[in-house]
């Protein structure tokens, strides 16, 4: 840990000549805040700007005329702000700074006075000393076993048997970081996992930490299920999260960035460019950047502006050379502009990968750095004293009072407006920020010093995804092309199959992204939209995109006169605004849009198509574990079932009637539906395995999901383990379970797999005395899924598909498969090699090869 994170208060040597100023290094993560002498920024008066003191010449500075913005050089791209000028397919919505090899003290600081002098938060990192894989090095924690029986007449389970949800999530994000440290991965993929870590942590602060702070502020002191008070939990989160951020930045600077340099992607500071490169960026700034910027003065006569969440900003201190007054200004780095600018002596590059693939190097300069180097253009006649990047994270969790709103849609639109002004929950600043500048930001943002994080640039790792999107094959995963699922086509063909005929021939199990989404689910809806025999389409939509072929197919179907119903979940977190936009477009073409149910999110993944055939009406169904989103279907591992089984068709008809109308007494044949029957249905099957084991019958439980925190199901699994039933769990994210605890969970194994594809499917397998009972669906084992969402699990009945799913989960928790394993002390340990040092099986590589082997002539090497 860095000194600035110690619990004690340490005096450090003053960095100014003023003996009355003492700098104090605090243990709250904020660095140096609150010097003995407060630094104030002064108000500007008209005379400061419109009256020149006698004896002084006019102010010197850059003053542009309209003609200055005319293109006068062929070296500046002929494009407009907002177009992707630097990266052909990069995400330009998150500007960030990537400073190259330079001393941290040079971090956009124009003088060295009164900087805090704190060390970089770079300490010994865990990749230098990974946790031991030996079980004996992870002794189980000691739990307190209470006396007596519970309400079911069973011995009470021990206290402390549940891990904390938030700390478990941080452990998951640490596994994401560890995935970035795998030297066997291609360089840009390792970088990509760092961006995933950063994006995950942003959302964690916006939702989970924000909610925790709200409970503390409201005086709600109820302990969590793990026994921690809200304040204890917040302290642990702060320490762990800031420690992880420090590790990630150290790893990027010490491991990733040097390798980027070696491969021709040189992240550099503006000052490191050649004079020719600087001239090109001067022209680029004048033509493409300067007109978009809006510097805002902040002083007693100019209120502190609203700082939008996750935006990148410059805190700028300027001095009037005649009056000597200092002023604070804020410059927002526009998200509409490219965040990284590739430049050479030839100018700003539209396709930098052409040079890199040819063996040449390209300089990449962060947009924020270009702006910082041209601040004298924004403040002509003023002295630029110092400038520092900062970034604020705000509470962006939505709270919709549905019962009091005339419609969910109206309530959501109003709440989205309120979200913009959520309170700040984290402030990230670059390391060189002066004490008085940081103190000014802390006061005006209303944030606690413990929520301030000093980091080396870049503050926002997500912007590095622009580099990942470059077309550099040697630095990325080898492309994988999904294949058409078995059961839909015997051979690959450019001609679409008759998907309705294929489904009539038998249930089709889909496994994305190994099986193509476009030739299965997407093709089903496209064919249905244009098939004159299709009468109606009913569809749930949780996350998708407005330009999605799924949405377009529904619009085409409605315009063709078909009955189309879309159950749109506009409360899908962080997709709310987009969902409202394209849902209104659906309404405009005649789609019957239903905005979910009051009090419940509609999270189930269902599609029902009604078709007139020679022998009468037939209903075609799709039940899945993932969203109807073509893009994420290429990166998320998910399952789906295509069927025209009459029982499933009747189940989906009843469920859609529940969602769009009134059908409270509905019962189902092959579905378990939350919030009514999933928890009870799963507990019933767990208890059946316990009874079968007692009777000497075959009994085991094998589960795969994203998260588990539900106490009822967790305790049922503990009871099964106590009874001797083998319990195997593959979990990607949050896990409240503790495995390997004597007397509680010694028969339980918990593994986690992270890889090229995001493990997203949910599979629930039970031995059932030799006749496996297998279900797939949309629900994780969390309170929100089981109590506050409409979720659906479907029973798989085809023996071959049952066997495939059981084998999939069995392989996922096998000791021969590379994974993280949960140890008895609660630590996750990664296993990549066996005892002889040989690589363990990568299950995703195996599944890709298996799918590709179905395509004649495809190269598998």
């Amino acid at each position: 840990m860095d000194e600035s994170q110690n619990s004690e208060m340490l005096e450090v040597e003053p960095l100014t000549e003023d003996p009355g100023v003492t700098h104090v290094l605090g243990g709250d993560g904020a660095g140096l805040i609150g010097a003995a002498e407060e630094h104030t920024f002064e108000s500007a008066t008209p005379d400061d700007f419109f009256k020149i003191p006698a004896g002084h010449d006019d102010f010197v500075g850059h003053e542009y005329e309209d003609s200055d913005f005319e293109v006068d050089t062929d070296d500046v791209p002929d494009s407009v702000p907002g177009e992707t000028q630097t990266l052909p397919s990069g995400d330009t919505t998150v500007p960030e700074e990537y400073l190259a090899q330079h001393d941290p003290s040079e971090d956009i600081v124009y003088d060295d006075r009164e900087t805090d002098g704190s060390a970089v938060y770079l300490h010994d990192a865990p990749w230098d000393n990974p946790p031991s894989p030996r079980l004996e090095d992870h002794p189980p924690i000691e739990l307190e076993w209470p006396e007596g029986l519970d309400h079911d007449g069973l011995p009470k389970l021990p206290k402390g048997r549940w891990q904390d949800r938030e700390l478990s999530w941080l452990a998951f994000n640490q596994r994401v970081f560890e995935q970035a440290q795998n030297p066997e991965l291609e360089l840009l993929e390792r970088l990509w996992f760092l961006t995933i870590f950063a994006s995950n942590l942003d959302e964690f602060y916006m939702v989970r930490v924000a909610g925790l702070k709200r409970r503390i502020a409201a005086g709600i002191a109820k302990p969590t299920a793990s026994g921690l008070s809200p304040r204890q939990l917040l302290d642990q989160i702060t320490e762990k999260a800031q420690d992880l951020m420090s590790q990630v930045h150290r790893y990027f600077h010490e491991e990733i960035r040097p390798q980027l340099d070696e491969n021709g992607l040189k992240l550099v500071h503006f000052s490191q460019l050649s004079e020719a490169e600087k001239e090109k960026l001067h022209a680029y700034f004048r033509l493409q950047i300067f007109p978009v910027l809006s510097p805002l003065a902040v002083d007693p006569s100019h209120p502190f502006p609203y700082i939008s969440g996750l935006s990148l900003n410059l805190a700028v201190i300027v001095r009037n050379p005649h009056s000597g007054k200092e002023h604070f200004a804020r410059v927002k780095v526009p998200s509409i502009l490219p965040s990284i600018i590739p430049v050479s002596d030839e100018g700003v590059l539209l396709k930098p990968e052409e040079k890199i693939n040819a063996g040449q190097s390209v300089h990449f300069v962060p947009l924020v750095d270009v702006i910082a180097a041209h601040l004298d253009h924004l403040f002509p006649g003023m002295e630029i004293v110092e400038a520092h990047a900062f970034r604020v994270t705000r509470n962006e969790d939505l709270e919709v009072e549905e019962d009091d709103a005339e419609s969910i849609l109206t309530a959501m639109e109003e709440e989205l407006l309120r979200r913009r002004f959520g309170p700040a929950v984290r402030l990230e600043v670059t390391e060189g920020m002066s004490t008085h500048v940081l103190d000014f930001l802390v006061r005006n943002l209303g944030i606690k010093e413990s929520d301030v994080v000093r980091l080396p640039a870049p503050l926002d790792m997500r912007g590095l995804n622009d580099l990942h999107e470059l077309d550099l094959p040697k630095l990325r995963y080898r492309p994988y092309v999904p294949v058409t699922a078995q059961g839909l086509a015997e051979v690959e063909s450019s001609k679409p199959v008759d998907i309705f005929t294929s489904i009539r021939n038998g249930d089709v199990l889909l496994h994305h992204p190994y099986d193509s989404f476009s030739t299965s689910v997407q093709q089903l809806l496209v064919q249905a939209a244009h098939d004159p025999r299709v009468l109606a389409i009913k569809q749930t939509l949780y996350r998708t995109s407005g330009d999605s072929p799924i949405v377009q197919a529904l619009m085409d179907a409605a315009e063709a006169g078909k009955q189309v119903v879309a159950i749109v979940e506009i409360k899908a977190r962080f997709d709310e605004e987009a969902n409202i936009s394209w849902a209104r477009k659906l309404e405009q073409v005649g789609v019957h849009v239903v905005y979910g149910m009051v009090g419940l999110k509609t999270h189930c993944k269902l599609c029902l198509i009604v078709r007139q055939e020679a022998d009468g009406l037939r209903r075609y169904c799709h039940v899945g574990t993932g969203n109807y989103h073509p893009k994420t279907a290429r990166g998320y591992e998910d399952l789906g079932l295509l069927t025209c089984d009459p029982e499933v068709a009747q189940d989906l008809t009843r469920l859609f009637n529940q969602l769009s109308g009134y059908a409270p007494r509905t019962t189902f044949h092959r579905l378990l539906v939350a919030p009514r029957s999933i928890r009870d249905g799963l507990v019933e099957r767990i208890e059946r395995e316990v009874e079968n084991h007692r009777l000497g019958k075959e009994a085991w439980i094998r589960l795969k999901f994203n998260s588990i925190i539900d106490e009822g199901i967790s305790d049922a699994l503990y009871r099964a383990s106590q009874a001797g039933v083998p319990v195997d769990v593959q979990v990607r994210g949050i896990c409240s379970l503790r495995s390997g605890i004597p007397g509680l969970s010694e028969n339980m194994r918990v593994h986690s797999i992270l890889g090229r594809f995001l493990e997203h499917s949910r599979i629930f397998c039970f031995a059932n005395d030799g006749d496996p009972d297998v279900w797939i669906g949309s629900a994780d084992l969390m309170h929100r899924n089981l109590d506050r969402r409409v979720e659906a699990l479907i029973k798989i009945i085809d023996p071959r598909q049952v066997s495939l799913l059981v084998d999939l989960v069995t392989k996922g928790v096998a000791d021969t498969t590379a994974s993280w394993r949960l140890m008895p002390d609660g630590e996750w340990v990664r296993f990549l090699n066996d005892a002889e040092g040989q690589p363990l099986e990568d299950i995703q590589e195996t599944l890709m090869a298996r799918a590709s082997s179905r395509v004649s002539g495809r190269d598998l090497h």
Side-chain angles (χ1 to χ4, degrees), residues 421-477:
F421 300 97
V425 295
R426 180 180 59 166
L427 172 62
E428 297 167 282
V429 302
T430 47
E431 294 166 319
M433 182 172 285
S434 302
T435 302
H436 63 277
V437 177
L438 178 57
D439 189 38
F440 183 78
L441 288 174
V442 167
R443 289 199 312 270
N444 282 278
L445 289 168
I447 199 169
K448 293 184 177 180
E449 296 178 8
S450 59
D451 297 317
V452 179
V453 187
R454 289 183 180 271
L455 294 168
L459 291 183
D460 185 0
M461 287 283 182
R462 297 177 308 168
L464 296 170
N465 192 53
D466 285 357
L467 298 180
H468 176 260
E469 294 301 316
L470 288 171
D471 185 16
L472 300 172
K474 67 177 183 178
L475 301 180
R476 299 182 60 179
Y477 288 129

Side-chain angles (χ1 to χ4, degrees), residues 349-567:
L349 302 175
L350 292 175
K351 295 184 178 181
E353 53 265 70
E354 292 180 353
K355 286 183 173 291
I356 298 171
N357 284 326
Q360 303 178 45
S361 292
V362 172
H363 286 158
F364 290 84
V365 187
L367 173 62
V368 67
D369 194 19
V370 176
I371 295 173
H374 292 84
L375 288 174
D376 55 335
H377 296 235
L378 294 172
F379 304 95
M382 302 291 284
E383 296 178 3
I384 308 301
V385 179
E386 53 184 305
H388 316 273
F390 70 95
R391 181 172 178 263
V392 177
T393 308
R394 293 189 176 276
N395 179 350
E396 297 204 15
D397 197 13
L398 297 180
E399 293 184 356
V400 180
E401 299 296 336
E402 300 175 25
D403 294 339
D404 299 329
E406 292 185 4
S407 77
I408 297 177
L409 180 62
T410 301
M412 179 57 65
E413 289 177 319
E414 292 173 354
E415 183 61 29
L416 283 171
L417 293 175
R418 290 196 293 271
R419 170 191 272 182
R420 293 186 61 253
F421 300 97
V425 295
R426 180 180 59 166
L427 172 62
E428 297 167 282
V429 302
T430 47
E431 294 166 319
M433 182 172 285
S434 302
T435 302
H436 63 277
V437 177
L438 178 57
D439 189 38
F440 183 78
L441 288 174
V442 167
R443 289 199 312 270
N444 282 278
L445 289 168
I447 199 169
K448 293 184 177 180
E449 296 178 8
S450 59
D451 297 317
V452 179
V453 187
R454 289 183 180 271
L455 294 168
L459 291 183
D460 185 0
M461 287 283 182
R462 297 177 308 168
L464 296 170
N465 192 53
D466 285 357
L467 298 180
H468 176 260
E469 294 301 316
L470 288 171
D471 185 16
L472 300 172
K474 67 177 183 178
L475 301 180
R476 299 182 60 179
Y477 288 129
R478 184 177 181 181
Y480 171 73
V481 179
V483 303
T484 299
Q486 285 182 313
L488 290 183
E490 294 299 325
V491 294
E492 290 288 321
S493 172
S494 59
K495 182 179 180 181
V497 300
D498 182 349
I499 201 163
F500 295 112
T501 299
S502 299
I503 297 173
R504 283 198 303 272
N505 291 334
D507 289 1
V508 179
L509 182 67
L510 307 172
H511 194 188
H512 310 301
Y514 313 106
D515 295 331
S516 170
F517 182 85
S518 63
T519 62
S520 55
V521 179
Q522 181 177 318
Q523 187 60 35
L524 172 66
L525 282 158
V526 170
Q527 285 192 17
H530 297 93
D531 187 337
R533 288 174 290 180
V534 169
L535 306 179
I537 302 174
K538 299 184 180 184
Q539 175 95 38
T540 61
L541 293 172
Y542 189 73
R543 298 187 195 275
T544 188
S545 57
D547 58 354
S548 164
I550 302 294
V551 173
Q552 187 60 52
L554 296 177
M555 295 172 68
D556 291 345
E559 290 176 333
K562 305 180 192 302
Q563 179 84 1
V564 182
V565 177
I567 312 295

Side-chain angles (χ1 to χ4, degrees), residues 605-673:
K605 323 300 182 183
L606 310 173
C607 178
L608 176 67
I609 297 169
V610 182
R611 190 171 188 255
Q612 180 69 59
E613 300 184 350
D615 56 351
L617 290 179
R618 192 184 302 270
R619 290 168 290 184
Y620 294 84
C621 310
H622 174 261
V623 180
T625 69
N627 299 306
Y628 292 99
H629 198 307
K631 181 177 180 180
T632 59
R634 294 193 293 270
Y636 283 31
E637 179 272 339
D638 271 304
L639 293 162
L641 184 72
L642 296 173
T643 182
C644 58
D645 177 80
E647 287 191 339
V648 177
Q650 188 175 30
D651 284 350
L652 262 61
T653 300
R654 290 174 173 176
L655 184 50
F656 272 110
N657 287 342
Q658 270 194 328
L659 294 172
S660 63
Y662 300 101
R665 296 174 62 87
T666 299
T667 59
F668 302 101
H669 300 284
R670 280 180 61 184
L671 294 185
L672 292 175
V673 178

Side-chain angles (χ1 to χ4, degrees), residues 601 603-605 655 672-675 678 762 777-780 784-786 789-793:
K601 280 188 179 182
H603 190 251
C604 49
K605 323 300 182 183
L655 184 50
L672 292 175
V673 178
I678 289 183
R762 293 88 166 180
S778 57
D780 285 310
R784 70 181 188 188
N785 298 85
L786 304 181
R789 290 184 175 183
V790 180
E791 305 274 17
L793 305 183

